[in-house]
Amino acid sequence: MRHAKWIVAATFFALAACGSITSYGGGGGGGGGGGGGGPSGQIVVGNILFRSGHNGTQNPAVDTVAVGSTVTWTWTATGTTSHSVQSTAAPSFENSAIESGNGKTYAVTFNTAGTYQYDCAVHGSAMRGTIVVR
Protein backbone atom coordinates (compact mmCIF):
# COMPACT_ATOMS: atom_id res chain seq x y z
CA MET A 1 0.00 0.00 0.00
CA ARG A 2 1.56 3.29 -1.06
CA HIS A 3 0.38 5.07 2.09
CA ALA A 4 2.75 2.92 4.13
CA LYS A 5 5.71 4.79 2.61
CA TRP A 6 4.63 8.17 3.92
CA ILE A 7 6.03 9.54 7.06
CA VAL A 8 3.73 11.96 8.84
CA ALA A 9 5.27 14.93 10.61
CA ALA A 10 4.31 15.61 14.22
CA THR A 11 1.53 18.10 14.98
CA PHE A 12 2.67 21.69 15.40
CA PHE A 13 1.39 23.77 18.31
CA ALA A 14 3.01 27.17 17.76
CA LEU A 15 1.69 29.71 15.26
CA ALA A 16 4.06 31.91 13.30
CA ALA A 17 3.26 35.55 12.65
CA CYS A 18 3.96 35.17 8.92
CA GLY A 19 1.06 32.76 8.56
CA SER A 20 2.92 29.48 8.38
CA ILE A 21 4.98 27.15 10.50
CA THR A 22 7.80 25.18 8.94
CA SER A 23 9.61 22.09 10.06
CA TYR A 24 12.43 19.94 8.79
CA GLY A 25 12.70 16.32 9.75
CA GLY A 26 14.52 13.15 8.99
CA GLY A 27 11.44 11.01 9.23
CA GLY A 28 9.97 9.14 12.12
CA GLY A 29 7.30 10.51 14.33
CA GLY A 30 3.72 9.56 14.40
CA GLY A 31 0.48 11.35 14.57
CA GLY A 32 0.41 14.45 12.51
CA GLY A 33 -2.44 16.58 11.64
CA GLY A 34 -3.78 19.57 10.00
CA GLY A 35 -3.58 22.10 12.75
CA GLY A 36 -7.05 23.33 13.58
CA GLY A 37 -8.55 23.47 10.13
CA GLY A 38 -8.90 20.24 8.26
CA PRO A 39 -7.15 17.37 6.59
CA SER A 40 -3.43 17.62 6.17
CA GLY A 41 -1.82 17.37 2.77
CA GLN A 42 0.70 14.68 1.92
CA ILE A 43 3.00 15.22 -1.03
CA VAL A 44 5.56 12.72 -2.27
CA VAL A 45 8.88 14.15 -3.41
CA GLY A 46 10.02 11.53 -5.91
CA ASN A 47 12.69 11.32 -8.54
CA ILE A 48 11.89 14.49 -10.52
CA LEU A 49 8.27 14.70 -9.37
CA PHE A 50 5.89 16.07 -6.76
CA ARG A 51 2.80 13.83 -6.36
CA SER A 52 -0.29 14.52 -4.26
CA GLY A 53 -1.01 11.75 -1.78
CA HIS A 54 -4.63 12.92 -1.73
CA ASN A 55 -5.59 12.83 -5.39
CA GLY A 56 -2.55 11.53 -7.31
CA THR A 57 -1.97 14.70 -9.33
CA GLN A 58 1.65 15.16 -10.28
CA ASN A 59 3.80 17.92 -11.78
CA PRO A 60 1.86 19.90 -10.86
CA ALA A 61 0.72 18.27 -7.66
CA VAL A 62 -2.45 20.17 -6.69
CA ASP A 63 -3.93 19.97 -3.19
CA THR A 64 -6.69 21.89 -1.44
CA VAL A 65 -6.56 22.14 2.36
CA ALA A 66 -8.36 24.10 5.06
CA VAL A 67 -6.79 27.10 6.78
CA GLY A 68 -4.72 25.76 9.67
CA SER A 69 -3.75 22.56 7.87
CA THR A 70 -0.23 21.19 7.71
CA VAL A 71 1.15 19.99 4.40
CA THR A 72 4.05 17.53 4.58
CA TRP A 73 6.41 16.76 1.73
CA THR A 74 8.21 13.40 2.09
CA TRP A 75 11.26 12.38 0.08
CA THR A 76 10.47 8.88 -1.30
CA ALA A 77 12.50 6.83 -3.80
CA THR A 78 14.74 9.79 -4.59
CA GLY A 79 18.04 7.91 -4.40
CA THR A 80 20.92 10.37 -4.25
CA THR A 81 19.12 13.04 -6.28
CA SER A 82 18.68 16.30 -4.35
CA HIS A 83 15.34 18.15 -4.17
CA SER A 84 13.71 21.02 -2.30
CA VAL A 85 10.37 22.73 -1.83
CA GLN A 86 10.61 26.37 -2.94
CA SER A 87 7.81 28.92 -2.85
CA THR A 88 7.62 30.70 -6.21
CA ALA A 89 4.95 33.41 -5.87
CA ALA A 90 2.94 35.48 -3.41
CA PRO A 91 1.53 34.46 -1.07
CA SER A 92 4.65 32.58 -0.09
CA PHE A 93 6.00 30.24 2.55
CA GLU A 94 9.49 29.46 3.85
CA ASN A 95 11.58 27.33 1.49
CA SER A 96 13.02 23.98 2.51
CA ALA A 97 16.69 23.14 2.44
CA ILE A 98 17.98 21.16 -0.54
CA GLU A 99 17.90 17.54 0.67
CA SER A 100 18.65 14.08 -0.65
CA GLY A 101 17.82 10.67 0.72
CA ASN A 102 14.62 8.82 1.43
CA GLY A 103 12.57 9.66 4.51
CA LYS A 104 13.39 13.38 4.67
CA THR A 105 10.36 15.52 5.43
CA TYR A 106 9.42 19.18 5.24
CA ALA A 107 6.17 20.55 6.65
CA VAL A 108 4.35 23.88 6.45
CA THR A 109 1.22 24.87 8.35
CA PHE A 110 -0.88 27.24 6.26
CA ASN A 111 -2.73 29.72 8.50
CA THR A 112 -3.71 32.15 5.73
CA ALA A 113 -6.05 31.43 2.82
CA GLY A 114 -4.57 31.72 -0.66
CA THR A 115 -3.03 29.85 -3.57
CA TYR A 116 0.59 28.90 -2.94
CA GLN A 117 2.81 27.90 -5.88
CA TYR A 118 6.03 25.94 -5.42
CA ASP A 119 8.72 24.06 -7.30
CA CYS A 120 12.08 22.37 -6.67
CA ALA A 121 15.13 24.68 -6.47
CA VAL A 122 17.20 22.01 -8.25
CA HIS A 123 14.78 21.03 -11.03
CA GLY A 124 12.65 24.16 -11.44
CA SER A 125 9.40 23.81 -13.35
CA ALA A 126 10.05 20.11 -14.05
CA MET A 127 8.86 19.64 -10.44
CA ARG A 128 6.03 21.94 -9.43
CA GLY A 129 2.88 22.10 -7.38
CA THR A 130 0.08 24.21 -5.95
CA ILE A 131 -1.49 24.33 -2.49
CA VAL A 132 -4.94 25.98 -2.34
CA VAL A 133 -5.78 27.02 1.22
CA ARG A 134 -9.46 27.80 1.96
Side-chain angles (χ1 to χ4, degrees):
M1 188 159 128
R2 70 179 187 195
H3 295 291
K5 293 182 180 180
W6 296 339
I7 299 171
V8 180
T11 303
F12 297 95
F13 297 103
L15 296 176
C18 68
S20 63
I21 300 169
T22 56
S23 173
Y24 299 90
S40 61
Q42 296 292 318
I43 300 170
V44 172
V45 179
N47 204 1
I48 321 298
L49 66 84
F50 288 120
R51 181 176 44 243
S52 168
H54 174 69
N55 58 31
T57 57
Q58 148 179 334
N59 291 339
V62 180
D63 281 285
T64 301
V65 298
V67 170
S69 294
T70 299
V71 174
T72 303
W73 289 263
T74 303
W75 279 240
T76 305
T78 59
T80 59
T81 304
S82 296
H83 300 289
S84 73
V85 178
Q86 164 180 273
S87 184
T88 60
S92 64
F93 57 89
E94 185 177 335
N95 298 334
S96 76
I98 295 174
E99 300 270 5
S100 63
N102 295 337
K104 302 289 185 183
T105 61
Y106 180 68
V108 176
T109 298
F110 291 91
N111 293 314
T112 304
T115 301
Y116 297 79
Q117 305 288 325
Y118 64 91
D119 69 10
C120 172
V122 177
H123 298 98
S125 64
M127 290 178 68
R128 59 193 173 94
T130 302
I131 305 294
V132 178
V133 181
R134 295 185 182 166

